[in-house]
Amino acid sequence: MIVHPAEEILSQAHILIVEDDPDIADPLAGFLRANGFTVSVSASSQAAGRILARTQIDLVLLDIMLPGEDGLTFCRRLRASQGPRIIMLTALSELTDKVVGLEVGADDYLSKPFDLRELLARVRAVLRRGPLTTEKSHEAGAGAIIRFSGFAFYPHRRFLRSPTGLRIPLSGAEADLLLVFCQNTRQVLSREELISLTRGEGFAISGRSIDLLVSRLRRKLIDSDPLANPIRTVRADGYAFQPDVMSE
C-alpha cells in the first residue's frame, strides 16, 4: 500500500494546544487524540516555549488571549525562528484582529466558539501543506523559486527578494495569496475564488479580508519597487496578477 506523503504527515503529527482555559483545552486535546494525533497542552506561551525546545511539534493551536506574553506576540516570535505551523484560536470577532493574526505569521484562524469538525478540517488542511523549510535549504536550491518582474518568491519559506536584493518577509496568508496569483497569472480571480484557492471552500472568510490582504501584499511589492504594481484591480470582478512568471 502506497501512503501519500501528506497523509503520512497527518498520521504522525504532534499538535501543541496553547490555551489557558482547561474547559477548552482538555476536551480539544481529547478530541484530537481520538482522531489519531499526538497532543501536548500548555497554558502559557512560556510553557509552550519549553515544550517546543524539547519536542518536535508540527502544529500549534494558539489562543490569542494568554497570561503573560499574548498569542500574537508569541506567534510573531515563533515565525521569526521559523517554527511549526500555527492556527490562531480567538474569541475576537473583529475582522482586523483576524487579519493581524495572519499578518504576524499564522497559517489560519478560527473564532470561538468553534465546531470541532471544522477545526479538524482546518488542522488537516494546514498539516497537508507540509513543514516549513529552512532558509538554508532554499539557499542550497531546494524547493521552488518563482520569479516575476525582478522579484524572487520563495513560497515555502514565505519571503521575497526584491530586484535590489532586499528580503521581504510575508505572512502565511500573503504567501498563499501570492502563490495563487503566480499560478493564475493574467486571469481575473474573484474574491470568492481567491478565498477558495487560498483557504479552502467553506471557510468563513469575507471578501473584505481578501481586499485587506491584497492591499498589504501590493504595498510590500510597491514599497520595494515603486515602478511595480503587479496586482490589477478589476472593478466588480476581483483581481488579476499581471507579470510573466517563471518557476525554477
Side-chain angles (χ1 to χ4, degrees), residues 41-64:
V41 180
S42 65
S44 69
S45 57
Q46 289 80 4
R50 291 192 290 271
I51 293 173
L52 288 162
R54 65 174 186 267
T55 307
Q56 178 63 44
I57 298 294
D58 301 290
L59 173 67
V60 176
L61 298 179
L62 179 60
D63 186 30
I64 286 184

Side-chain angles (χ1 to χ4, degrees), residues 140-185:
I145 303 173
I146 300 173
R147 300 188 185 276
F148 62 89
S149 301
F151 288 89
F153 172 35
Y154 298 76
H156 297 292
R157 183 67 178 92
R158 300 182 184 178
F159 74 90
L160 285 162
R161 290 213 181 273
S162 74
T164 60
L166 178 67
R167 189 180 189 278
I168 308 163
L170 301 173
S171 70
E174 289 168 347
D176 290 344
L177 185 63
L178 182 55
L179 182 59
V180 166
F181 277 139
C182 289
Q183 292 170 338
N184 297 275
T185 187

Side-chain angles (χ1 to χ4, degrees), residues 99 101-106 158 169-176 213 220:
V99 172
L102 297 175
E103 278 292 301
V104 298
R158 300 182 184 178
L170 301 173
S171 70
E174 289 168 347
D176 290 344
L213 285 170
K220 288 186 176 182

Side-chain angles (χ1 to χ4, degrees), residues 97-168:
D97 296 313
K98 295 175 181 178
V99 172
V100 167
L102 297 175
E103 278 292 301
V104 298
D107 295 278
D108 202 356
Y109 66 83
L110 197 59
S111 296
K112 301 176 185 176
F114 49 79
D115 182 89
L116 288 174
R117 292 168 298 177
E118 181 181 1
L119 180 134
L120 181 62
R122 294 190 183 217
V123 163
R124 287 172 170 164
V126 169
L127 286 171
R128 284 192 180 99
R129 300 179 195 176
L132 295 172
T133 57
T134 64
E135 185 169 0
K136 182 177 179 181
S137 69
H138 277 292
E139 296 297 333
I145 303 173
I146 300 173
R147 300 188 185 276
F148 62 89
S149 301
F151 288 89
F153 172 35
Y154 298 76
H156 297 292
R157 183 67 178 92
R158 300 182 184 178
F159 74 90
L160 285 162
R161 290 213 181 273
S162 74
T164 60
L166 178 67
R167 189 180 189 278
I168 308 163

Side-chain angles (χ1 to χ4, degrees), residues 103 151 160 168 170 174 211-226 228-231:
E103 278 292 301
F151 288 89
L160 285 162
I168 308 163
L170 301 173
E174 289 168 347
D211 291 339
L212 289 171
L213 285 170
V214 169
S215 177
R216 285 169 168 76
L217 178 59
R218 181 187 276 143
R219 188 180 308 123
K220 288 186 176 182
L221 294 170
I222 294 175
D223 285 350
S224 302
D225 183 358
N229 186 14
I231 304 172

